[in-house]
Amino acid sequence: MSTQSSDKRTLLVETALDLFYRQGIHAVGINEVLKVSGVAKKTLYNHFSSKEALIVATVEQRDQRFQAWLTKRLAKVAAGRATIEAIFIAVDDWINERDPALGPFRGCFFINTSAEYSEDSCEIFQCCQRHKQSIRGVLYQHALVALGEEAAAQRLADSLVLLKEGAIVAGHLMGDKQAAVKARETARRLMGLG
Amino acid sequence: MSTQSSDKRTLLVETALDLFYRQGIHAVGINEVLKVSGVAKKTLYNHFSSKEALIVATVEQRDQRFQAWLTKRLAKVAAGRATIEAIFIAVDDWINERDPALGPFRGCFFINTSAEYSEDSCEIFQCCQRHKQSIRGVLYQHALVALGEEAAAQRLADSLVLLKEGAIVAGHLMGDKQAAVKARETARRLMGLG
DNA sequence: TATAAGGTAGACCGATCTGTCTATTTATGT
DNA sequence: ACATAAATAGACAGATCGGTCTACCTTATA
């Protein structure tokens, strides 16, 4: 009974995420999501109380997909410096669309979304914040393995966050498809590789 | 004759820029710009052929304001490394709203705008791209003074771009008000300051 | 096979959007 | 002072927005 129901829900979220990521959120109306997904309007409002609820679901979906993708990419890599480098390699593949898992590259969905919903009290914005904090957690974890000391690992994680976010922005807005490669090289210098 | 006219135009652009930056572009209607500025609708469409033309004007205005602000901040600083550090200090003041010239901090207007208009062929997007390239030019210029060698200066400029964009994103989306300080410290390490 | 839940198609509502147009007033330059 | 140009207020048009609702259909299970 819930297979049909949850299938529709998933289809709506996936369709909305795809359209929102490509065109921005305000630029995509509910009716377009319905048309592309082939789902009836009543069904949408049966699953979601409003467009905002659908948006929150797409942000959470993107977070899950991104983290699952990253986890898989890092699965066979040794913890610490090797994983940190692998993260930048993964971002490079994303920017250059060599990995179909994340779809086309249109910058960071969370950055894009928080550009449209930047009230601190807004749930959508807070979802974006949580995602970024979560990624920072991964970086810190491996920085700690690499350096062994907490304060230094925090500083390294901070730097790596800047490089990763900067690479995504440069890859999108400046069209620099080498941005993640440069970020990786910079990260290596910071981690003390001559 | 053109004082009245250009005053109205300027007022429209300043008002629109303020509203767009605070709330996003699609979220702000023409009527709101008119209401806040107190200008008549016909006057707006006398100066701009469409909302898109107004948006382009706001992006160009922001570019000019940002560059003028940065130029002033760097005026009395020695070229090279000192200026590079001063850029990060300026960004820090911006993030923490210690400098009224740029208004409240809501992330980077160009990043935010290109999140809503990310078609490569879109004029709005291209304006945002030009701004970023221009800033990179400033960084490269001073990297060259600092290092004296072109290839190395290009690499340094690339790294500095990542740190600067990363700091703006982290300052906004992660709420890390120390992001630019961390970026500056990272930049110092890259420039070889023990 | 009867029941109930969920999906479909789309009309409909009120609000809002961009953009046009009219009619009137204000300001500028000669 | 007069002519020209520009600004004003706001009605209006046509489209689209998010969201509600009705009426019918499909499907799974007891």
Side-chain angles (χ1 to χ4, degrees):
Chain A
M1 89 200 187
S2 73
T3 68
Q4 169 96 302
S5 173
S6 97
D7 277 358
K8 294 294 176 186
R9 203 195 122 100
T10 301
L11 177 59
L12 283 167
V13 173
E14 301 256 350
T15 304
L17 173 55
D18 186 64
L19 292 171
F20 289 165
Y21 184 42
R22 287 180 137 88
Q23 305 175 37
I25 293 178
H26 280 105
V28 175
I30 287 291
N31 290 317
E32 189 173 352
V33 175
L34 298 174
K35 195 174 192 176
V36 173
S37 64
V39 173
K41 190 175 273 197
K42 181 115 196 228
T43 305
L44 189 152
Y45 283 99
N46 189 25
H47 286 290
F48 303 98
S49 63
S50 65
K51 185 186 183 183
E52 180 164 338
L54 175 63
I55 298 168
V56 170
T58 63
V59 174
E60 288 170 346
Q61 165 75 5
R62 182 69 180 182
D63 176 52
Q64 286 176 22
R65 188 187 297 180
F66 188 90
Q67 301 231 37
W69 166 77
L70 194 60
T71 299
K72 180 173 277 186
R73 292 285 308 230
L74 306 179
K76 297 177 182 173
V77 183
R81 176 146 66 192
T83 291
I84 290 171
E85 288 204 42
I87 290 173
F88 286 101
I89 294 171
V91 171
D92 181 51
D93 285 344
W94 175 31
I95 290 175
N96 289 282
E97 300 180 343
R98 283 189 293 261
D99 192 326
L102 291 183
F105 178 71
R106 292 274 191 280
C108 172
F109 182 62
F110 306 96
I111 293 174
N112 295 352
T113 298
S114 62
E116 295 194 66
Y117 299 90
S118 62
E119 285 286 323
D120 287 353
S121 60
C122 173
E123 186 182 357
I124 296 169
F125 180 77
Q126 290 169 1
C127 285
C128 295
Q129 262 189 323
R130 277 198 296 274
H131 168 83
K132 291 298 182 190
Q133 292 296 345
S134 179
I135 297 298
R136 206 206 98 105
V138 174
L139 286 168
Y140 169 71
Q141 181 184 337
H142 290 280
L144 188 58
V145 171
L147 300 184
E149 202 261 310
E150 286 189 13
Q154 292 285 4
R155 283 195 299 272
L156 177 57
D158 285 329
S159 295
L160 296 174
V161 163
L162 299 179
L163 293 173
K164 182 231 164 203
E165 300 305 328
I168 295 170
V169 169
H172 180 227
L173 187 43
M174 308 180 71
D176 181 3
K177 299 303 179 192
Q178 298 294 321
V181 172
K182 295 165 182 170
R184 180 190 173 198
E185 285 167 2
T186 307
R188 291 174 70 176
R189 287 194 56 193
L190 292 175
M191 294 188 291
L193 184 59
Chain B
M1 88 198 185
S2 72
T3 67
Q4 170 95 302
S5 174
S6 96
D7 278 357
K8 294 295 175 186
R9 203 195 120 102
T10 301
L11 178 59
L12 283 167
V13 173
E14 302 256 351
T15 304
L17 173 54
D18 186 63
L19 292 171
F20 290 164
Y21 184 42
R22 285 182 139 88
Q23 305 174 36
I25 294 179
H26 280 106
V28 175
I30 287 292
N31 291 319
E32 189 175 351
V33 176
L34 298 175
K35 193 174 193 177
V36 173
S37 65
V39 173
K41 190 175 273 195
K42 182 121 197 216
T43 305
L44 187 152
Y45 283 100
N46 189 23
H47 287 290
F48 304 98
S49 62
S50 64
K51 185 185 183 182
E52 180 165 340
L54 176 62
I55 298 168
V56 170
T58 65
V59 174
E60 288 170 346
Q61 165 74 5
R62 181 71 180 182
D63 176 51
Q64 286 174 23
R65 188 186 297 179
F66 188 90
Q67 302 230 35
W69 167 77
L70 194 60
T71 299
K72 180 173 278 188
R73 292 284 309 229
L74 306 179
K76 297 177 181 173
V77 182
R81 176 147 66 191
T83 291
I84 290 171
E85 289 204 42
I87 290 173
F88 287 101
I89 293 171
V91 171
D92 181 50
D93 285 344
W94 174 31
I95 290 176
N96 289 282
E97 300 180 343
R98 282 189 293 260
D99 192 327
L102 291 182
F105 178 72
R106 292 275 193 279
C108 173
F109 182 63
F110 307 96
I111 293 174
N112 295 351
T113 299
S114 63
E116 296 194 65
Y117 300 90
S118 62
E119 284 285 322
D120 287 353
S121 61
C122 172
E123 187 183 357
I124 296 169
F125 180 77
Q126 290 169 2
C127 286
C128 294
Q129 261 188 324
R130 277 197 297 273
H131 168 83
K132 292 296 182 192
Q133 292 296 346
S134 180
I135 298 297
R136 205 206 98 105
V138 174
L139 286 168
Y140 169 71
Q141 182 184 336
H142 290 280
L144 187 58
V145 171
L147 300 185
E149 201 262 311
E150 287 189 12
Q154 291 285 5
R155 282 195 300 273
L156 178 57
D158 285 330
S159 295
L160 295 174
V161 163
L162 300 180
L163 293 173
K164 182 229 164 206
E165 301 306 328
I168 295 170
V169 168
H172 181 227
L173 187 43
M174 306 179 73
D176 181 3
K177 299 303 179 192
Q178 297 295 321
V181 171
K182 295 165 181 170
R184 180 190 172 198
E185 286 168 2
T186 307
R188 290 173 73 176
R189 288 193 56 189
L190 292 175
M191 293 188 291
L193 184 58

